[in-house]
């Protein structure tokens, strides 16, 4: 392998898939342990700057992600909702996929845009239980129930689906195509 190709591959491998640039947030990778550093903290800083502006421009969140950890998703949507309360417009754009935690992020925008090829995947959050005793098992169950109820609350608030719990129980419930996403209330408009 040539040195030029080897360097290209190394540079490509090091490229972050989740990043911010100006008023744009790009979520193209997993919602994982890098999410706070690459997305949440820069988003908070961007919101704090815009809150001080008399006529803030919109923040655009571009999503094509397999999803990931619901805790980080909830962090981001809490800040999205805060920004909206402060009069900052949050535009979300889904070009192809917004699966799992990424679908939760996608529905919270002020204006939610999707391509005709967009697809969302919804399901309950994955839980882990490393209990050592019955009391710990009960506390873990309460925490797990809290996460599920919060997810149901977000989808109920931002979509038109009335039987969201049933859809989430289907485990990997896909909503495919921009027009269908609009019809179900997961998006507002095609772009």
């Amino acid at each position: 392998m040539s040195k030029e190709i080897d360097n290209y591959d190394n540079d490509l491998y090091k490229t972050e898939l989740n990043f911010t640039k100006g008023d744009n947030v790009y979520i193209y990778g997993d919602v994982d342990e890098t999410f706070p550093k690459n997305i949440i903290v820069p988003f908070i800083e961007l919101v704090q700057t815009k809150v001080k502006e008399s006529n803030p421009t919109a923040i655009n969140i571009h999503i094509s992600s397999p999803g990931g950890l619901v805790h980080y998703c909830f962090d981001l949507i809490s800040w999205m909702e805060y920004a909206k309360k402060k009069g900052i417009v949050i535009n979300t754009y889904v070009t192809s996929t917004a699966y799992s935690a990424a679908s939760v992020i996608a529905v919270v925008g002020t204006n939610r845009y999707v391509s005709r090829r967009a697809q969302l995947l919804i399901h309950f959050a994955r839980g882990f239980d490393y209990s050592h005793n019955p009391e710990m098992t009960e506390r873990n169950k309460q925490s797990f129930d809290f996460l599920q109820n919060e997810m149901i609350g977000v989808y109920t608030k931002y979509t038109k689906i009335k039987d969201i719990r049933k859809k989430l129980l289907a485990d990997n419930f896909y909503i495919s195509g921009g027009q269908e996403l609009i019809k179900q209330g997961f998006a507002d408009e095609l772009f």
Side-chain angles (χ1 to χ4, degrees), residues 8 13 38-39 51 54 65-66 76 83 88 90 103 116 119 129 135 143 146 152 156 162 168 170-171 174 178 183 186:
Y8 172 78
Y13 181 74
N38 295 334
I39 297 297
V51 164
S54 59
S65 169
L76 182 60
I88 300 166
I90 307 291
S103 72
R116 67 180 183 85
Q119 184 179 58
D129 187 357
E135 290 81 14
S143 175
F146 173 79
I152 289 168
T156 299
K162 301 299 179 211
L168 293 169
D171 203 21
Y174 291 91
K183 179 181 170 187
F186 284 84

Side-chain angles (χ1 to χ4, degrees), residues 28-45:
Y28 288 122
D30 293 333
V31 178
D32 62 11
E33 292 81 9
T34 65
F35 208 71
K37 176 185 173 209
N38 295 334
I39 297 297
I40 296 169
V41 171
F43 188 84
I44 292 168
E45 292 170 349

Side-chain angles (χ1 to χ4, degrees), residues 127-144:
F128 299 96
D129 187 357
Y130 298 101
S131 301
H132 301 285
N133 60 58
E135 290 81 14
M136 190 176 183
T137 300
E138 181 56 32
R139 285 192 306 272
N140 288 347
K141 183 187 178 313
Q142 290 171 1
S143 175
F144 182 73

Side-chain angles (χ1 to χ4, degrees), residues 55-124:
N55 190 18
T57 55
I59 297 173
N60 303 300
I61 302 177
H62 307 270
I63 303 168
S64 186
S65 169
L69 301 170
V70 72
H71 293 87
Y72 296 136
C73 153
F74 285 162
D75 282 348
L76 182 60
I77 66 171
S78 293
W79 280 100
M80 291 169 69
E81 290 173 332
Y82 171 80
K84 288 169 35 179
K85 284 180 187 174
K86 295 294 187 178
I88 300 166
V89 172
I90 307 291
N91 298 317
T92 58
Y93 298 87
V94 177
T95 51
S96 61
T97 58
Y99 292 166
S100 188
S103 72
V104 181
I105 296 166
V107 301
V108 176
T110 310
N111 304 304
R112 302 161 313 157
Y113 301 98
V114 290
S115 77
R116 67 180 183 85
R117 296 173 198 86
Q119 184 179 58
L120 272 69
L121 163 73
I122 64 173
H123 59 80
F124 276 117

